[in-house]
Amino acid sequence: MTTAASVGDLVSQPYKYGFVTDIETEKIAKGLSEDVVRLISSKKDEPAFLLDFRLRAYRQWLQMETPDWAALGYPTIDFQNIIYYAAPKQRDKKASLDEVDPKLLETFDKLGIPLSEQKRLTNVAVDAVFDSVSIATTYKEKLAEHGVIFCSISEAVKEHPELIERYLGTVVPSNDNYYSALNSAVFSDGSFVFIPKGVECPMELSTYFRINSGDTGQFERTLIVAEEGASVSYLEGCTAPMFDTNQLHAAVVELVVLDDASIKYSTVQNWYAGDEHGVGGIYNFVTKRGHCRGDRSKISWTQVETGSAITWKYPSCVLQGADSVGEFYSVALTNNYQQADTGSKMVHVGPRTRSTIVSKGISAGHSANSYRGLVQIGPKAVGARNYSQCDSMLIGDQAAANTYPYIRSQQPLASVEHEASTCRMSEDQLFYLQSRGIAFEEAVSMMVSGFCRDVFNQLPMEFAAEADKLLALKLEGSVG
Amino acid sequence: MIRPDADVLLEIRGLHARVEDNAILKGVDLTLRAGEIHAVMGRNGSGKSTLSKVLAGHPAYTVTAGTVTYRGQNLLELSPEERARLGVFLGFQYPVEIPGVSNLEFLRVATNARRVQLGQEELDTFAFEDLVRERLKVVQMDPAFLDRSVNEGFSGGEKKRNEILQMALLEPLVAILDETDSGLDIDALRIVAAGVSQLATADTATLLITHYQRLLEAITPDFVHVMAAGRILRTGGRELALELEERGYDWVDQELAALELG
């Protein structure tokens, strides 16, 4: 067994979450037009401001071109061949979980996200999104006692329209880019979190996104607002069935933090990645941005990206408040024919703003993994500091790793540091561990988790071990 | 200590091996019994290191003929990790650095893999710390090395001590030490040699692979084998090492030439 072959086998583990739930789904016809945008809005019974928001975005989108600057290769997406709304058939939003279709509860059970009263996680509140709609949110009442709002964004539009109107689209303007415009026009569901002034959210919040339909795009929208002195830790997870076609996922996530507030946003992305020949898998085009509006505010992004055929994603921070802090910790693993172009943007506006970027890319098989990042220091960002570290690990000799760091500084009194390294998991390292009685798979996983430790340390404790396991599973069969 | 009735731990017969297209081992015969210390000496390129890698199961080497029997079992069928768990240990000439992997965690996982094989209970982090602190004394190693990544930034001598520490934890029955003396200063050599001597018992066999005889001043071998061109050319007692020291390796070449002519 050579190293290249057996790490190869390691990475090629069957995808555990590839099943399809057999459930009656209400879908609208394929294709996108102004009528479709109106139809989605009317299905959700939305207020006029939101329909206007959608239509404006749709018209902007029509004028825009798909971005082509990323190091990604894929066939042109036919946006008229996608269904923009699909929902499991059920009567309205359920008042209690008991009324939710048991098939849906079973689906989330299988995904390791039990929602029912008896089985659900004790310290994590979960919003479960299935195709285009949220089917349940746990611990809502308990959170409400603390003034915390955690619900689907559709529900928030109905219950708290003033908050939605005040914040939606203020961090990621709908015309920010092609996919944010598309999302703004057709977004179906997602989560809304509001942490009022001075409140530390008493539990972890989490949204679990599940794509079930084969011909449907998922366009989720998440908005998290932390008022003065508030703090919250939020985690999202994603999976999808295995289809031999590609599904489009184009999400927008907006975070707003006011004075002394903080949001920690973690992602474990495990969308279906396609098979070992690169057939099928999710096209993941995501815009995530946080706005540190207040002084001494803080946003921390942690992502573990293991899925999707294509990943195009740059969680960013606009550091406007004085002394605000932005962080980005990322592990991106690609295998087989996966392609990832991911990184972060740190835009320093206010004085003494600080940012940290730690990116770990692991490329196996025939995959391509690129880090792309921008550190921008504006003229008023006196004393701003950035530290970036981008490390790549290659497994086998067919994979590619690239780093594209961009630094723009208009402020002489700022410091920007960038470090990068590339290493290859070598046969001799694996042999060394094996010659001490450590099984091959464990040796690979020890080396990978050692490589990723700086990032895993940032994940909420409940999920760090899971992320470790997930990577080991994804790598099963890829070294060797 | 030679006891002709002691158990045979490792028996190598007619071993041939190659790396890529180069035949390196061309018929090695060697028997290690419990309690014995063997030294294999020879020039660079004689096949000494290859022998050690083949015995440990390095995937770059292919065995083309011959047998290796470890306590009655066909060693060549086993994966490197199975060999290690069963008690075959290779101390590397150049231990690799493994950034990010904690030395302490690595030692614990390795020790537990061996313990499970022996039917012993796995050690938790606390019990293992106690054990490792005690074994550190064998090589007089600073506990600070436990908190670093495996071999990362270690000096040559520290790497070799870390190898012997692993041996002390794994308690192998057959220890193969490849050029453990290379790159060591006099003090480090003394410490490493004392560690190896301490770990060589009546139940274990030790195979020292070395270029120089200075290691053999610290550890007295029962047998000395001279290796050349992929074979063991001569076997003797410790006096053979002294003879090599005195006469150099030139006579080996002459003997080899004579052998090939004959």
Side-chain angles (χ1 to χ4, degrees):
Chain A
M1 183 164 73
T2 70
T3 313
S6 48
V7 176
D9 303 338
L10 253 180
V11 189
S12 314
Q13 274 299 96
Y15 184 64
K16 252 170 79 182
Y17 307 105
F19 63 91
V20 184
T21 304
D22 179 18
I23 192 160
E24 240 190 301
T25 307
E26 183 204 347
K27 292 180 181 176
I28 62 173
K30 278 184 179 173
L32 184 54
S33 63
E34 199 164 308
D35 287 343
V36 168
V37 175
R38 287 179 191 278
L39 181 63
I40 293 171
S41 188
S42 76
K43 276 191 176 299
K44 302 176 98 57
D45 205 9
E46 289 175 348
F49 83 85
L50 201 51
L51 176 61
D52 289 346
F53 176 85
R54 288 178 181 277
L55 289 172
R56 209 166 45 240
Y58 175 69
R59 287 169 197 144
Q60 287 164 335
W61 179 74
L62 287 176
Q63 308 296 317
M64 298 171 90
E65 302 279 334
T66 48
D68 59 0
W69 40 262
L72 300 170
Y74 54 94
T76 309
I77 300 169
D78 180 359
F79 290 92
Q80 295 306 333
N81 196 32
I82 293 170
I83 291 174
Y84 287 86
Y85 184 85
K89 274 192 185 155
Q90 54 175 357
R91 268 165 262 108
D92 301 327
K93 178 89 181 181
K94 302 303 169 197
S96 96
L97 274 171
D98 307 335
E99 296 169 49
V100 173
D101 189 325
K103 269 188 188 163
L104 291 174
L105 295 180
E106 202 181 295
T107 300
F108 282 92
D109 259 0
K110 262 166 101 174
L111 298 170
I113 317 290
L115 299 170
S116 62
E117 201 86 36
Q118 303 79 26
K119 286 187 281 180
R120 65 198 191 184
L121 305 165
T122 52
N123 48 353
V124 184
V126 178
D127 184 23
V129 177
F130 189 91
D131 284 337
S132 302
V133 295
S134 162
I135 57 158
T137 310
T138 61
Y139 293 113
K140 260 161 70 175
E141 299 74 19
K142 187 177 167 196
L143 290 166
E145 287 167 21
H146 297 264
V148 172
I149 302 170
F150 179 41
C151 63
S152 73
I153 202 140
S154 313
E155 207 174 328
V157 168
K158 291 201 177 71
E159 309 285 325
H160 312 282
E162 71 296 345
L163 289 175
I164 299 296
E165 193 166 9
R166 190 187 319 159
Y167 290 108
L168 189 76
T170 63
V171 182
V172 178
S174 52
N175 65 350
D176 183 78
N177 66 71
Y178 189 82
Y179 291 100
S180 68
L182 178 65
N183 175 286
S184 300
V186 301
F187 72 89
S188 38
D189 223 334
S191 299
F192 175 69
V193 177
F194 180 82
I195 316 288
K197 199 169 172 174
V199 172
E200 187 182 328
C201 187
M203 59 201 321
E204 294 274 340
L205 305 184
S206 168
T207 302
Y208 196 91
F209 294 98
R210 173 73 178 171
I211 293 180
N212 192 57
S213 307
D215 43 8
T216 306
Q218 195 178 51
F219 305 93
E220 93 239 9
R221 185 97 193 183
T222 296
L223 173 60
I224 302 178
V225 178
E227 284 195 331
E228 291 84 352
S231 67
V232 63
S233 169
Y234 175 92
L235 181 122
E236 63 166 5
C238 341
T239 59
M242 300 193 282
F243 293 115
D244 54 11
T245 52
N246 301 103
Q247 290 87 51
L248 177 63
H249 173 257
V252 171
V253 174
E254 297 179 282
L255 312 182
V256 177
V257 281
L258 304 184
D259 287 354
D260 301 296
S262 73
I263 296 176
K264 181 177 175 60
Y265 191 106
S266 313
T267 304
V268 176
Q269 188 263 106
N270 189 18
W271 295 121
Y272 179 53
D275 69 8
E276 66 272 29
H277 307 295
V279 176
I282 302 285
Y283 288 174
N284 192 31
F285 291 88
V286 172
T287 306
K288 288 184 165 167
R289 192 174 304 155
H291 189 181
C292 284
R293 266 177 216 178
D295 295 346
R296 298 167 303 280
S297 58
K298 178 177 175 183
I299 287 174
S300 181
W301 298 101
T302 303
Q303 61 173 21
V304 177
E305 300 282 316
T306 64
S308 299
I310 302 275
T311 297
W312 180 95
K313 181 180 170 190
Y314 316 90
S316 306
C317 298
V318 177
L319 304 170
Q320 184 178 24
D323 301 289
S324 59
V325 174
E327 294 175 339
F328 174 73
Y329 298 95
S330 169
V331 166
L333 173 103
T334 53
N335 189 20
N336 297 322
Y337 288 88
Q338 278 178 276
Q339 303 175 60
D341 193 297
T342 183
S344 182
K345 282 194 281 190
M346 293 291 174
V347 180
H348 292 255
V349 180
R352 299 175 306 280
T353 45
R354 304 193 301 280
S355 66
T356 303
I357 293 174
V358 176
S359 162
K360 306 276 179 176
I362 303 161
S363 332
H366 297 266
S367 69
N369 200 328
S370 302
Y371 168 82
R372 186 182 302 276
L374 168 68
V375 176
Q376 186 168 330
I377 315 273
K380 291 180 186 154
V382 181
R385 280 184 293 159
N386 161 266
Y387 171 75
S388 303
Q389 182 191 339
C390 302
D391 300 322
S392 306
M393 179 185 259
L394 293 165
I395 297 177
D397 52 9
Q398 303 291 317
N402 301 300
T403 303
Y404 305 97
Y406 303 88
I407 297 168
R408 284 184 211 135
S409 181
Q410 298 167 278
Q411 171 46 252
L413 297 176
S415 101
V416 178
E417 275 179 73
H418 180 89
E419 285 180 28
S421 75
T422 304
C423 64
R424 186 181 295 280
M425 184 185 288
S426 77
E427 190 174 70
D428 282 334
Q429 288 171 320
L430 288 167
F431 178 64
Y432 187 80
L433 296 176
Q434 283 179 278
S435 75
R436 297 303 179 249
I438 298 170
F440 184 79
E441 289 74 11
E442 196 174 358
V444 170
S445 129
M446 272 173 104
M447 287 181 60
V448 167
S449 56
F451 178 71
C452 301
R453 182 174 316 147
D454 295 350
V455 175
F456 287 170
N457 284 345
Q458 300 296 326
L459 283 174
M461 213 164 40
E462 293 86 343
F463 301 102
E466 204 163 319
D468 216 358
K469 267 190 269 164
L470 178 63
L471 282 202
L473 195 71
K474 281 274 165 176
L475 276 176
E476 207 134 305
S478 81
V479 188
Chain B
M1 180 186 35
I2 306 173
R3 284 182 293 128
D5 59 335
D7 290 343
V8 172
L9 293 179
L10 193 73
E11 183 147 44
I12 305 170
R13 287 286 164 264
L15 187 64
H16 287 67
R18 61 179 168 78
V19 58
E20 287 167 358
D21 289 331
N22 304 318
I24 300 189
L25 298 186
K26 297 168 184 167
V28 175
D29 296 296
L30 193 61
T31 303
L32 305 187
R33 290 175 189 274
E36 294 175 350
I37 297 176
H38 292 244
V40 171
M41 302 184 72
R43 281 202 159 135
N44 290 334
S46 60
K48 305 181 308 259
S49 275
T50 296
L51 177 62
S52 71
K53 296 266 176 54
V54 167
L55 292 176
H58 195 290
Y61 298 84
T62 311
V63 172
T64 49
T67 59
V68 179
T69 311
Y70 170 68
R71 303 175 79 205
Q73 200 170 356
N74 179 359
L75 187 75
L76 301 176
E77 279 178 356
L78 304 174
S79 68
E81 57 265 38
E82 288 168 325
R83 298 179 196 200
R85 290 175 198 159
L86 288 168
V88 176
F89 178 87
L90 169 61
F92 286 82
Q93 181 177 8
Y94 302 111
V96 289
E97 302 192 1
I98 309 182
V101 175
S102 132
N103 200 30
L104 182 66
E105 183 61 13
F106 156 66
L107 295 170
R108 191 172 74 88
V109 173
T111 304
N112 278 335
R114 172 94 172 110
R115 289 179 68 91
V116 167
Q117 183 74 43
L118 292 171
Q120 297 167 348
E121 211 176 313
E122 289 189 62
L123 298 177
D124 64 19
T125 34
F126 302 107
F128 182 70
E129 281 240 30
D130 294 342
L131 177 70
V132 78
R133 276 174 194 279
E134 175 210 317
R135 299 293 153 92
L136 279 171
K137 293 178 196 151
V138 174
V139 282
Q140 300 179 26
M141 203 164 129
D142 184 342
F145 286 102
L146 299 173
D147 299 328
R148 302 190 21 195
S149 292
V150 178
N151 295 327
E152 193 182 32
F154 288 24
S155 71
E158 287 155 0
K159 284 181 182 168
K160 294 298 171 72
R161 288 194 207 192
N162 204 29
E163 293 293 290
I164 305 306
L165 172 63
Q166 292 166 41
M167 180 174 156
L169 287 164
L170 296 175
E171 301 181 346
L173 294 175
V174 171
I176 304 152
L177 302 174
D178 188 8
E179 308 259 0
T180 292
D181 50 337
S182 69
L184 295 186
D185 60 32
I186 293 292
D187 291 331
L189 179 69
R190 193 174 38 76
I191 291 164
V192 164
V196 173
S197 301
Q198 193 183 330
L199 297 170
T201 68
D203 300 321
T204 67
T206 308
L207 184 61
L208 303 169
I209 291 174
T210 181
H211 189 76
Y212 301 104
Q213 94 96 24
R214 62 174 196 165
L215 178 67
L216 307 182
E217 285 167 7
I219 309 171
T220 310
D222 301 305
F223 297 96
V224 173
H225 311 275
V226 179
M227 208 167 165
R231 272 174 293 189
I232 288 177
L233 206 61
R234 264 176 75 178
T235 293
R238 62 176 306 203
E239 70 287 349
L240 186 54
L242 296 171
E243 189 185 337
L244 272 175
E245 179 82 352
E246 210 172 292
R247 294 173 57 194
Y249 279 102
D250 287 344
W251 64 269
V252 175
D253 294 339
Q254 289 159 18
E255 205 156 311
L256 192 68
L259 199 73
E260 273 166 7
L261 282 175

